[in-house]
Amino acid sequence: MIEAALSVENLSFAYGPKKALDNVSFSVRAGECAILLGPNGAGKSTLFSLITRLYDARQGSIRLCGFDVKKNSRQALARLGVVFQQTTLDADLSVTQNLRYHAALHGIGRKAADKRIREELERLNMYDRRQEKVRQLNGGHRRRVEIARALLHNPSLLLLDEPTVGLDMPSRQAIVEHVHDLVRRQGLAVLWATHLLDEIGAQDSLVVLDKGVVKAGGRLAEVLHATGCGNAAEVFARLTGGGVE
Amino acid sequence: MNILHYWRALSGIVGRELLRFLHQRERFVSALVRPLVWLFVFAAGFRAALGIAISPPYETYILYEVYITPGLIGMIQLFNGMQSSLSMVYDREMGSMRMLMVCPLPRWFLLSSKLIAGTAVSVLQAYAFLGIAWLDDIQAPPVGYLWILPALLLSGMMLGALGLLLSSFIRQLENFAGVMNFVIFPVFFMSTALYPLWKIKESSELLYILAEYNPFSQAVELIRFALYGQLNLQALLFTAGAFILFMAAAIFGYNPSKGMMVRKGGGD
């Protein structure tokens, strides 16, 4: 059996007496884009903190391409690319300087790094702007640079934490299309936290999280069938009791 | 291959810090203005008020400006250490600290690299300050400018580790103002940066004890002796011991299983 790119099993986590995640299990395979839906406070940020090993869970396990995040964290994290909710680029440095920094952290040499930077930026039509300071870029372009950065070391799993928040429609669409393209063409596995249901593609999977519990999971069509809902918005409203955008 | 990865990451982290430093000129200027005001205004005003007796490493009567120069270098490094800790709190809020923590290297190595990067910046600032002081005739023996380098590296690492330790349990930027008041000011004023120990002893035995065992005093004395080409062994051991202690505690603080990060939790 091929190992899932991300496998979360019986994961529980609490901040003191407050339970943030309760027995969460799901997996994301190569070539799969899983959309993580949940209202504020559902446990999405906690889940991302645990996958990126900001802190460790005491119960349950997280495996990236078969490597346990806690026990084999280096092998696991080497296969992970992340775009955090807040921008994490250095505004005073140029696009290339930011990307070279990331490449260095992953042990990629200068020559190989420059080659990868070119490939990823060209794919996002950003190569001509590589010398510009990040401060000069608009929100959509910054996000593109962050996605390019997350892919520099050829990860197997890409984590996206609400990457399109605050962007205009064309920028959002460009990012949604680019990520789905990566999933289709390169077999990348993606876990995408969002509030924006129009970002869900027909082939995507859903993981609906509410109050730390997985309420539904599987291919969109399967979830619609199981819940008897007509679309993802209805699924979300019914399972979480919340409205959507 | 592995060592190459470590080396590339270390150069990347130090390079980024130096680039940031070069791009933020106001940060460089403000880091220098503070000690220069102390040197040219405060020390000039107190020159007559404070008599400094001959005590090692000085072999003759010295001006007050000469006495406080090593203390002000310590001040540069103290502020720098706290500022990099401030930037780590800020970074963590903004996410780039998380970016660093996600990369596939041991956390102790990432924190140490961050520390080395901060120290490199503080050494540059210290030399710039010494250059300006030199122009104002506050001059040490030439060999002192060489000997001071290892002293600056150790004291910078020690003060940076203290900042790192503080950053591991400060969650909000607002708390940092409290740290400035409760850490920087007591540490600086209860030290040998501005007045020698025997002078403090004249007024208060308790303050004298606090100042003597203050790691910042030891770092300042290490710098003071090095600037005159001498080794103060006690200061060296004390500063190195404080560095190891602070660093170990900071690494514990950033440990994903045991440290403060878990207790602090994260909002959702």
mmCIF file of all heavy atoms in Angstrom, chain A residues 180-222:
data_model
loop_
_atom_site.group_PDB
_atom_site.id
_atom_site.type_symbol
_atom_site.label_atom_id
_atom_site.label_comp_id
_atom_site.label_asym_id
_atom_site.label_seq_id
_atom_site.Cartn_x
_atom_site.Cartn_y
_atom_site.Cartn_z
ATOM 1 N N HIS A 180 -4.464 23.785 -7.971
ATOM 2 C CA HIS A 180 -5.129 22.611 -8.543
ATOM 3 C C HIS A 180 -4.327 22.025 -9.704
ATOM 4 O O HIS A 180 -4.293 20.808 -9.902
ATOM 5 C CB HIS A 180 -6.552 22.972 -8.987
ATOM 6 C CG HIS A 180 -7.511 23.021 -7.834
ATOM 7 N ND1 HIS A 180 -7.905 24.187 -7.226
ATOM 8 C CD2 HIS A 180 -8.130 22.031 -7.140
ATOM 9 C CE1 HIS A 180 -8.728 23.918 -6.227
ATOM 10 N NE2 HIS A 180 -8.885 22.620 -6.141
ATOM 11 N N ASP A 181 -3.667 22.904 -10.428
ATOM 12 C CA ASP A 181 -2.811 22.459 -11.523
ATOM 13 C C ASP A 181 -1.642 21.618 -10.990
ATOM 14 O O ASP A 181 -1.283 20.587 -11.567
ATOM 15 C CB ASP A 181 -2.293 23.711 -12.249
ATOM 16 C CG ASP A 181 -1.743 23.349 -13.601
ATOM 17 O OD1 ASP A 181 -2.448 22.644 -14.338
ATOM 18 O OD2 ASP A 181 -0.599 23.756 -13.908
ATOM 19 N N LEU A 182 -1.071 22.064 -9.885
ATOM 20 C CA LEU A 182 0.045 21.325 -9.264
ATOM 21 C C LEU A 182 -0.409 19.933 -8.818
ATOM 22 O O LEU A 182 0.321 18.950 -8.951
ATOM 23 C CB LEU A 182 0.573 22.086 -8.043
ATOM 24 C CG LEU A 182 1.352 23.371 -8.309
ATOM 25 C CD1 LEU A 182 1.553 24.147 -7.009
ATOM 26 C CD2 LEU A 182 2.703 23.048 -8.925
ATOM 27 N N VAL A 183 -1.616 19.894 -8.283
ATOM 28 C CA VAL A 183 -2.164 18.614 -7.814
ATOM 29 C C VAL A 183 -2.328 17.663 -9.000
ATOM 30 O O VAL A 183 -1.914 16.501 -8.949
ATOM 31 C CB VAL A 183 -3.523 18.845 -7.104
ATOM 32 C CG1 VAL A 183 -4.217 17.517 -6.812
ATOM 33 C CG2 VAL A 183 -3.322 19.629 -5.822
ATOM 34 N N ARG A 184 -2.897 18.191 -10.083
ATOM 35 C CA ARG A 184 -3.151 17.352 -11.265
ATOM 36 C C ARG A 184 -1.861 16.914 -11.949
ATOM 37 O O ARG A 184 -1.651 15.754 -12.225
ATOM 38 C CB ARG A 184 -4.009 18.124 -12.273
ATOM 39 C CG ARG A 184 -5.504 17.988 -12.063
ATOM 40 C CD ARG A 184 -6.263 18.505 -13.273
ATOM 41 N NE ARG A 184 -5.849 19.846 -13.664
ATOM 42 C CZ ARG A 184 -6.369 20.964 -13.153
ATOM 43 N NH1 ARG A 184 -7.310 20.893 -12.237
ATOM 44 N NH2 ARG A 184 -5.954 22.143 -13.556
ATOM 45 N N ARG A 185 -0.996 17.885 -12.203
ATOM 46 C CA ARG A 185 0.182 17.582 -13.032
ATOM 47 C C ARG A 185 1.316 16.927 -12.266
ATOM 48 O O ARG A 185 2.031 16.088 -12.792
ATOM 49 C CB ARG A 185 0.725 18.870 -13.654
ATOM 50 C CG ARG A 185 -0.126 19.376 -14.777
ATOM 51 C CD ARG A 185 0.373 20.752 -15.156
ATOM 52 N NE ARG A 185 -0.601 21.408 -16.007
ATOM 53 C CZ ARG A 185 -0.428 21.590 -17.299
ATOM 54 N NH1 ARG A 185 0.650 21.158 -17.895
ATOM 55 N NH2 ARG A 185 -1.348 22.204 -18.005
ATOM 56 N N GLN A 186 1.508 17.347 -11.019
ATOM 57 C CA GLN A 186 2.690 16.854 -10.301
ATOM 58 C C GLN A 186 2.365 15.846 -9.210
ATOM 59 O O GLN A 186 3.259 15.357 -8.526
ATOM 60 C CB GLN A 186 3.438 18.029 -9.670
ATOM 61 C CG GLN A 186 3.914 19.007 -10.700
ATOM 62 C CD GLN A 186 4.885 20.008 -10.113
ATOM 63 O OE1 GLN A 186 5.221 19.934 -8.948
ATOM 64 N NE2 GLN A 186 5.325 20.938 -10.916
ATOM 65 N N GLY A 187 1.091 15.613 -9.012
ATOM 66 C CA GLY A 187 0.720 14.650 -7.979
ATOM 67 C C GLY A 187 0.991 15.165 -6.571
ATOM 68 O O GLY A 187 1.190 14.385 -5.634
ATOM 69 N N LEU A 188 0.998 16.491 -6.433
ATOM 70 C CA LEU A 188 1.214 17.076 -5.114
ATOM 71 C C LEU A 188 -0.012 16.815 -4.235
ATOM 72 O O LEU A 188 -1.134 16.816 -4.730
ATOM 73 C CB LEU A 188 1.421 18.592 -5.274
ATOM 74 C CG LEU A 188 1.839 19.391 -4.066
ATOM 75 C CD1 LEU A 188 3.279 19.065 -3.688
ATOM 76 C CD2 LEU A 188 1.724 20.890 -4.350
ATOM 77 N N ALA A 189 0.225 16.589 -2.947
ATOM 78 C CA ALA A 189 -0.896 16.482 -2.006
ATOM 79 C C ALA A 189 -1.060 17.856 -1.340
ATOM 80 O O ALA A 189 -0.069 18.483 -0.987
ATOM 81 C CB ALA A 189 -0.598 15.433 -0.954
ATOM 82 N N VAL A 190 -2.298 18.297 -1.204
ATOM 83 C CA VAL A 190 -2.536 19.631 -0.635
ATOM 84 C C VAL A 190 -3.572 19.544 0.477
ATOM 85 O O VAL A 190 -4.592 18.863 0.332
ATOM 86 C CB VAL A 190 -3.040 20.609 -1.735
ATOM 87 C CG1 VAL A 190 -3.449 21.939 -1.129
ATOM 88 C CG2 VAL A 190 -1.968 20.818 -2.805
ATOM 89 N N LEU A 191 -3.278 20.219 1.579
ATOM 90 C CA LEU A 191 -4.301 20.416 2.612
ATOM 91 C C LEU A 191 -4.523 21.913 2.710
ATOM 92 O O LEU A 191 -3.609 22.669 3.038
ATOM 93 C CB LEU A 191 -3.841 19.856 3.960
ATOM 94 C CG LEU A 191 -4.859 20.020 5.109
ATOM 95 C CD1 LEU A 191 -6.132 19.232 4.827
ATOM 96 C CD2 LEU A 191 -4.268 19.591 6.443
ATOM 97 N N TRP A 192 -5.750 22.339 2.391
ATOM 98 C CA TRP A 192 -6.031 23.752 2.192
ATOM 99 C C TRP A 192 -7.132 24.186 3.169
ATOM 100 O O TRP A 192 -8.273 23.756 3.026
ATOM 101 C CB TRP A 192 -6.473 23.937 0.735
ATOM 102 C CG TRP A 192 -6.828 25.317 0.300
ATOM 103 C CD1 TRP A 192 -7.522 26.247 0.979
ATOM 104 C CD2 TRP A 192 -6.518 25.907 -0.964
ATOM 105 N NE1 TRP A 192 -7.659 27.384 0.241
ATOM 106 C CE2 TRP A 192 -7.047 27.204 -0.952
ATOM 107 C CE3 TRP A 192 -5.826 25.470 -2.096
ATOM 108 C CZ2 TRP A 192 -6.923 28.069 -2.038
ATOM 109 C CZ3 TRP A 192 -5.710 26.326 -3.177
ATOM 110 C CH2 TRP A 192 -6.254 27.615 -3.133
ATOM 111 N N ALA A 193 -6.782 25.008 4.139
ATOM 112 C CA ALA A 193 -7.801 25.531 5.050
ATOM 113 C C ALA A 193 -8.391 26.786 4.435
ATOM 114 O O ALA A 193 -7.654 27.662 3.991
ATOM 115 C CB ALA A 193 -7.168 25.859 6.395
ATOM 116 N N THR A 194 -9.694 26.842 4.382
ATOM 117 C CA THR A 194 -10.332 28.030 3.800
ATOM 118 C C THR A 194 -11.731 28.237 4.369
ATOM 119 O O THR A 194 -12.331 27.332 4.950
ATOM 120 C CB THR A 194 -10.410 27.915 2.262
ATOM 121 O OG1 THR A 194 -10.965 29.106 1.741
ATOM 122 C CG2 THR A 194 -11.270 26.739 1.825
ATOM 123 N N HIS A 195 -12.202 29.456 4.184
ATOM 124 C CA HIS A 195 -13.600 29.764 4.492
ATOM 125 C C HIS A 195 -14.394 29.928 3.201
ATOM 126 O O HIS A 195 -15.599 30.047 3.216
ATOM 127 C CB HIS A 195 -13.677 31.121 5.220
ATOM 128 C CG HIS A 195 -13.372 31.035 6.665
ATOM 129 N ND1 HIS A 195 -12.257 31.586 7.215
ATOM 130 C CD2 HIS A 195 -14.051 30.454 7.669
ATOM 131 C CE1 HIS A 195 -12.256 31.349 8.514
ATOM 132 N NE2 HIS A 195 -13.323 30.669 8.820
ATOM 133 N N LEU A 196 -13.651 30.013 2.114
ATOM 134 C CA LEU A 196 -14.269 30.428 0.853
ATOM 135 C C LEU A 196 -14.621 29.201 0.020
ATOM 136 O O LEU A 196 -13.756 28.561 -0.560
ATOM 137 C CB LEU A 196 -13.302 31.348 0.094
ATOM 138 C CG LEU A 196 -12.793 32.510 0.948
ATOM 139 C CD1 LEU A 196 -11.613 33.183 0.290
ATOM 140 C CD2 LEU A 196 -13.907 33.513 1.198
ATOM 141 N N LEU A 197 -15.907 28.892 -0.008
ATOM 142 C CA LEU A 197 -16.324 27.620 -0.591
ATOM 143 C C LEU A 197 -16.206 27.583 -2.098
ATOM 144 O O LEU A 197 -16.162 26.509 -2.691
ATOM 145 C CB LEU A 197 -17.759 27.307 -0.162
ATOM 146 C CG LEU A 197 -17.919 27.181 1.357
ATOM 147 C CD1 LEU A 197 -19.368 26.975 1.724
ATOM 148 C CD2 LEU A 197 -17.090 26.039 1.893
ATOM 149 N N ASP A 198 -16.129 28.760 -2.724
ATOM 150 C CA ASP A 198 -15.997 28.732 -4.182
ATOM 151 C C ASP A 198 -14.598 28.288 -4.611
ATOM 152 O O ASP A 198 -14.313 28.157 -5.786
ATOM 153 C CB ASP A 198 -16.334 30.103 -4.785
ATOM 154 C CG ASP A 198 -15.437 31.199 -4.251
ATOM 155 O OD1 ASP A 198 -14.747 30.949 -3.244
ATOM 156 O OD2 ASP A 198 -15.418 32.286 -4.836
ATOM 157 N N GLU A 199 -13.730 28.060 -3.638
ATOM 158 C CA GLU A 199 -12.380 27.588 -3.975
ATOM 159 C C GLU A 199 -12.322 26.067 -4.097
ATOM 160 O O GLU A 199 -11.303 25.499 -4.449
ATOM 161 C CB GLU A 199 -11.386 28.071 -2.907
ATOM 162 C CG GLU A 199 -11.203 29.580 -2.963
ATOM 163 C CD GLU A 199 -10.334 30.135 -1.856
ATOM 164 O OE1 GLU A 199 -9.996 29.387 -0.929
ATOM 165 O OE2 GLU A 199 -10.022 31.331 -1.925
ATOM 166 N N ILE A 200 -13.426 25.417 -3.752
ATOM 167 C CA ILE A 200 -13.435 23.952 -3.786
ATOM 168 C C ILE A 200 -13.690 23.468 -5.210
ATOM 169 O O ILE A 200 -14.659 23.872 -5.858
ATOM 170 C CB ILE A 200 -14.535 23.400 -2.858
ATOM 171 C CG1 ILE A 200 -14.332 23.938 -1.441
ATOM 172 C CG2 ILE A 200 -14.524 21.876 -2.860
ATOM 173 C CD1 ILE A 200 -15.457 23.586 -0.502
ATOM 174 N N GLY A 201 -12.810 22.595 -5.706
ATOM 175 C CA GLY A 201 -12.992 22.015 -7.034
ATOM 176 C C GLY A 201 -13.810 20.736 -6.933
ATOM 177 O O GLY A 201 -13.910 20.136 -5.860
ATOM 178 N N ALA A 202 -14.378 20.317 -8.074
ATOM 179 C CA ALA A 202 -15.253 19.142 -8.072
ATOM 180 C C ALA A 202 -14.511 17.872 -7.633
ATOM 181 O O ALA A 202 -15.091 16.971 -7.053
ATOM 182 C CB ALA A 202 -15.840 18.952 -9.463
ATOM 183 N N GLN A 203 -13.206 17.822 -7.928
ATOM 184 C CA GLN A 203 -12.436 16.617 -7.619
ATOM 185 C C GLN A 203 -11.850 16.634 -6.197
ATOM 186 O O GLN A 203 -11.208 15.680 -5.776
ATOM 187 C CB GLN A 203 -11.271 16.481 -8.612
ATOM 188 C CG GLN A 203 -11.706 16.307 -10.062
ATOM 189 C CD GLN A 203 -12.612 15.103 -10.223
ATOM 190 O OE1 GLN A 203 -12.310 14.022 -9.733
ATOM 191 N NE2 GLN A 203 -13.757 15.293 -10.878
ATOM 192 N N ASP A 204 -12.042 17.729 -5.491
ATOM 193 C CA ASP A 204 -11.404 17.871 -4.177
ATOM 194 C C ASP A 204 -12.059 16.989 -3.111
ATOM 195 O O ASP A 204 -13.201 16.558 -3.266
ATOM 196 C CB ASP A 204 -11.469 19.334 -3.702
ATOM 197 C CG ASP A 204 -10.613 20.234 -4.560
ATOM 198 O OD1 ASP A 204 -9.794 19.715 -5.339
ATOM 199 O OD2 ASP A 204 -10.762 21.471 -4.456
ATOM 200 N N SER A 205 -11.308 16.799 -2.035
ATOM 201 C CA SER A 205 -11.884 16.126 -0.864
ATOM 202 C C SER A 205 -12.238 17.181 0.176
ATOM 203 O O SER A 205 -11.702 18.292 0.147
ATOM 204 C CB SER A 205 -10.871 15.182 -0.229
ATOM 205 O OG SER A 205 -10.362 14.337 -1.185
ATOM 206 N N LEU A 206 -13.072 16.805 1.095
ATOM 207 C CA LEU A 206 -13.436 17.720 2.185
ATOM 208 C C LEU A 206 -13.077 17.092 3.525
ATOM 209 O O LEU A 206 -13.205 15.881 3.707
ATOM 210 C CB LEU A 206 -14.949 17.959 2.206
ATOM 211 C CG LEU A 206 -15.591 18.848 1.164
ATOM 212 C CD1 LEU A 206 -17.059 19.071 1.545
ATOM 213 C CD2 LEU A 206 -14.881 20.174 1.066
ATOM 214 N N VAL A 207 -12.616 17.945 4.442
ATOM 215 C CA VAL A 207 -12.512 17.533 5.844
ATOM 216 C C VAL A 207 -13.241 18.637 6.605
ATOM 217 O O VAL A 207 -12.796 19.783 6.606
ATOM 218 C CB VAL A 207 -11.050 17.441 6.324
ATOM 219 C CG1 VAL A 207 -10.991 17.058 7.797
ATOM 220 C CG2 VAL A 207 -10.254 16.457 5.486
ATOM 221 N N VAL A 208 -14.385 18.301 7.167
ATOM 222 C CA VAL A 208 -15.156 19.324 7.881
ATOM 223 C C VAL A 208 -14.876 19.178 9.380
ATOM 224 O O VAL A 208 -15.145 18.129 9.971
ATOM 225 C CB VAL A 208 -16.673 19.193 7.598
ATOM 226 C CG1 VAL A 208 -17.440 20.317 8.281
ATOM 227 C CG2 VAL A 208 -16.935 19.206 6.105
ATOM 228 N N LEU A 209 -14.335 20.235 9.940
ATOM 229 C CA LEU A 209 -13.925 20.200 11.343
ATOM 230 C C LEU A 209 -14.790 21.180 12.139
ATOM 231 O O LEU A 209 -15.002 22.319 11.712
ATOM 232 C CB LEU A 209 -12.444 20.630 11.414
ATOM 233 C CG LEU A 209 -11.654 20.355 12.682
ATOM 234 C CD1 LEU A 209 -11.515 18.863 12.914
ATOM 235 C CD2 LEU A 209 -10.258 20.984 12.578
ATOM 236 N N ASP A 210 -15.307 20.724 13.249
ATOM 237 C CA ASP A 210 -16.100 21.623 14.090
ATOM 238 C C ASP A 210 -15.856 21.273 15.557
ATOM 239 O O ASP A 210 -15.965 20.107 15.932
ATOM 240 C CB ASP A 210 -17.589 21.486 13.738
ATOM 241 C CG ASP A 210 -18.434 22.516 14.493
ATOM 242 O OD1 ASP A 210 -17.968 23.670 14.644
ATOM 243 O OD2 ASP A 210 -19.535 22.163 14.936
ATOM 244 N N LYS A 211 -15.533 22.253 16.334
ATOM 245 C CA LYS A 211 -15.258 22.068 17.766
ATOM 246 C C LYS A 211 -14.274 20.921 18.009
ATOM 247 O O LYS A 211 -14.439 20.107 18.929
ATOM 248 C CB LYS A 211 -16.554 21.834 18.542
ATOM 249 C CG LYS A 211 -17.538 23.005 18.455
ATOM 250 C CD LYS A 211 -18.704 22.800 19.397
ATOM 251 C CE LYS A 211 -19.720 23.906 19.277
ATOM 252 N NZ LYS A 211 -20.607 23.754 18.092
ATOM 253 N N GLY A 212 -13.267 20.829 17.153
ATOM 254 C CA GLY A 212 -12.209 19.845 17.341
ATOM 255 C C GLY A 212 -12.539 18.446 16.865
ATOM 256 O O GLY A 212 -11.767 17.513 17.056
ATOM 257 N N VAL A 213 -13.720 18.274 16.245
ATOM 258 C CA VAL A 213 -14.144 16.937 15.812
ATOM 259 C C VAL A 213 -14.330 16.940 14.292
ATOM 260 O O VAL A 213 -14.870 17.897 13.735
ATOM 261 C CB VAL A 213 -15.469 16.548 16.503
ATOM 262 C CG1 VAL A 213 -15.961 15.184 16.025
ATOM 263 C CG2 VAL A 213 -15.297 16.555 18.011
ATOM 264 N N VAL A 214 -13.892 15.864 13.615
ATOM 265 C CA VAL A 214 -14.136 15.745 12.170
ATOM 266 C C VAL A 214 -15.588 15.328 11.962
ATOM 267 O O VAL A 214 -16.002 14.249 12.381
ATOM 268 C CB VAL A 214 -13.182 14.713 11.526
ATOM 269 C CG1 VAL A 214 -13.553 14.511 10.057
ATOM 270 C CG2 VAL A 214 -11.746 15.177 11.631
ATOM 271 N N LYS A 215 -16.355 16.203 11.324
ATOM 272 C CA LYS A 215 -17.779 15.916 11.130
ATOM 273 C C LYS A 215 -18.039 15.137 9.847
ATOM 274 O O LYS A 215 -19.025 14.435 9.733
ATOM 275 C CB LYS A 215 -18.582 17.228 11.122
ATOM 276 C CG LYS A 215 -18.624 17.945 12.473
ATOM 277 C CD LYS A 215 -19.531 17.181 13.434
ATOM 278 C CE LYS A 215 -19.550 17.743 14.826
ATOM 279 N NZ LYS A 215 -20.393 18.902 15.002
ATOM 280 N N ALA A 216 -17.165 15.353 8.853
ATOM 281 C CA ALA A 216 -17.313 14.608 7.601
ATOM 282 C C ALA A 216 -15.998 14.626 6.859
ATOM 283 O O ALA A 216 -15.211 15.554 7.010
ATOM 284 C CB ALA A 216 -18.409 15.244 6.742
ATOM 285 N N GLY A 217 -15.747 13.609 6.062
ATOM 286 C CA GLY A 217 -14.514 13.565 5.276
ATOM 287 C C GLY A 217 -14.696 12.694 4.062
ATOM 288 O O GLY A 217 -15.527 11.779 4.068
ATOM 289 N N GLY A 218 -13.954 12.980 2.991
ATOM 290 C CA GLY A 218 -14.036 12.174 1.772
ATOM 291 C C GLY A 218 -14.151 13.066 0.555
ATOM 292 O O GLY A 218 -14.102 14.303 0.672
ATOM 293 N N ARG A 219 -14.266 12.433 -0.610
ATOM 294 C CA ARG A 219 -14.439 13.197 -1.850
ATOM 295 C C ARG A 219 -15.716 14.039 -1.757
ATOM 296 O O ARG A 219 -16.688 13.607 -1.123
ATOM 297 C CB ARG A 219 -14.562 12.246 -3.034
ATOM 298 C CG ARG A 219 -13.291 11.498 -3.331
ATOM 299 C CD ARG A 219 -12.378 12.294 -4.219
ATOM 300 N NE ARG A 219 -11.107 11.629 -4.384
ATOM 301 C CZ ARG A 219 -10.023 12.228 -4.886
ATOM 302 N NH1 ARG A 219 -10.072 13.497 -5.236
ATOM 303 N NH2 ARG A 219 -8.907 11.579 -5.012
ATOM 304 N N LEU A 220 -15.693 15.170 -2.401
ATOM 305 C CA LEU A 220 -16.844 16.078 -2.329
ATOM 306 C C LEU A 220 -18.146 15.330 -2.657
ATOM 307 O O LEU A 220 -19.140 15.444 -1.922
ATOM 308 C CB LEU A 220 -16.614 17.255 -3.289
ATOM 309 C CG LEU A 220 -17.740 18.279 -3.380
ATOM 310 C CD1 LEU A 220 -18.002 18.946 -2.032
ATOM 311 C CD2 LEU A 220 -17.409 19.348 -4.417
ATOM 312 N N ALA A 221 -18.117 14.551 -3.765
ATOM 313 C CA ALA A 221 -19.327 13.840 -4.182
ATOM 314 C C ALA A 221 -19.793 12.862 -3.103
ATOM 315 O O ALA A 221 -20.995 12.753 -2.830
ATOM 316 C CB ALA A 221 -19.055 13.095 -5.487
ATOM 317 N N GLU A 222 -18.818 12.194 -2.470
ATOM 318 C CA GLU A 222 -19.176 11.232 -1.417
ATOM 319 C C GLU A 222 -19.820 11.946 -0.223
ATOM 320 O O GLU A 222 -20.814 11.486 0.339
ATOM 321 C CB GLU A 222 -17.924 10.499 -0.910
ATOM 322 C CG GLU A 222 -17.288 9.563 -1.924
ATOM 323 C CD GLU A 222 -15.874 9.150 -1.507
ATOM 324 O OE1 GLU A 222 -15.504 9.396 -0.340
ATOM 325 O OE2 GLU A 222 -15.162 8.616 -2.362
#
